[in-house]
Amino acid sequence: MIDKQNAIDAIMNFLHDETKRTFLVRGFDNDAKVNAVISCLNKVFSLGIIRTSSMADISDHINRAFNRDLLPYNVKSTTTYKLGGMKVNINSYVTHTKSNPKGNDNTFTLFHPVQTVLGNPKRYDKFLQELKKTDSRKIILITTNEWSIDNWDIENHVDQVFFYSVENDNPNIMANLRRNGAIT
């Protein structure tokens, strides 16, 4: 679990670094990224916000990452959910409602997944505005489908980027991606 420990160290260092506010987590193992980020957030925060592009898929992403049913199949933006020791609100950054919380110094905001906006200039500009309006102490973005992303301008709008390598922990996923031509 060398790769996972490297990821945990990087995430925890970011969470404790008062000079950095925004963090982009890249990598090819989506479940590993979600698991590591949420596990670390749970050690530091008791309140948070998860902003997603797909309310229909977010519980599946989180439940699959932990291999447990932590969230119900259907999540609602009007409900607060217990996730580990945290209370989280889950809402969409694609559909804008006045009730979407902006956070404060006691909260984190996790944007996941973000790849759908990176290649769409109109949606990307709206997404950057959402990032600017977020008032949480820490903001983390997690990509999925890394191999399909062409526009990496988002790296210019965050304080730190971490690439979660799984060469050691999950060599099968890397071999499959190479064999399928998704990566070289």
Side-chain angles (χ1 to χ4, degrees):
M1 299 306 271
I2 296 166
D3 298 328
K4 183 174 185 174
Q5 191 56 54
N6 289 340
I8 289 170
D9 292 345
I11 297 163
M12 291 304 290
N13 287 338
F14 163 76
L15 292 175
H16 292 296
D17 186 340
E18 296 190 19
T19 66
K20 295 178 181 170
R21 186 165 173 254
T22 53
F23 189 58
L24 172 64
V25 181
R26 297 184 51 194
F28 297 114
D29 189 331
N30 298 324
D31 293 342
K33 290 181 290 187
V34 170
N35 183 299
V37 167
I38 291 176
S39 295
C40 290
L41 288 168
N42 194 46
K43 293 176 184 175
V44 176
F45 288 93
S46 59
L47 298 171
I49 302 162
I50 298 175
R51 307 287 313 272
T52 184
S53 59
S54 175
M55 291 292 286
D57 295 334
I58 192 65
S59 65
D60 183 53
H61 289 213
I62 292 170
N63 292 343
R64 189 177 59 240
F66 286 91
N67 202 23
R68 294 181 24 212
D69 288 339
L70 299 174
L71 294 172
Y73 179 75
N74 291 315
V75 294
K76 299 176 185 169
S77 62
T78 55
T79 303
T80 300
Y81 297 94
K82 190 152 176 57
L83 192 57
M86 304 179 294
K87 291 181 180 177
V88 297
N89 175 269
I90 301 171
N91 58 67
S92 173
Y93 64 80
V94 175
T95 58
H96 302 284
T97 63
K98 292 181 190 237
S99 64
N100 282 350
K102 300 293 179 210
N104 59 45
D105 200 45
N106 295 321
T107 64
F108 68 86
T109 297
L110 171 62
F111 286 88
H112 170 73
V114 298
Q115 83 284 350
T116 57
V117 298
L118 299 181
N120 181 321
K122 186 176 179 181
R123 289 180 73 191
Y124 182 61
D125 288 341
K126 280 181 149 181
F127 180 73
L128 291 177
Q129 292 303 314
E130 283 295 310
L131 282 179
K132 288 178 187 172
K133 289 191 284 185
T134 301
D135 292 331
S136 290
R137 179 169 28 125
K138 294 293 182 175
I139 301 168
I140 298 178
L141 293 73
I142 303 176
T143 61
T144 58
N145 303 327
E146 181 92 11
W147 52 88
S148 69
I149 299 171
D150 294 324
N151 179 5
W152 285 105
D153 178 67
I154 191 67
E155 292 183 347
N156 298 316
H157 300 275
V158 297
D159 297 320
Q160 185 177 345
V161 177
F162 176 75
F163 186 87
Y164 188 159
S165 171
V166 290
E167 289 286 346
N168 297 300
D169 293 356
N170 194 348
N172 291 339
I173 196 171
M174 301 308 293
N176 287 340
L177 290 169
R178 285 187 184 96
R179 189 171 37 256
N180 295 333
I183 62 171
T184 55

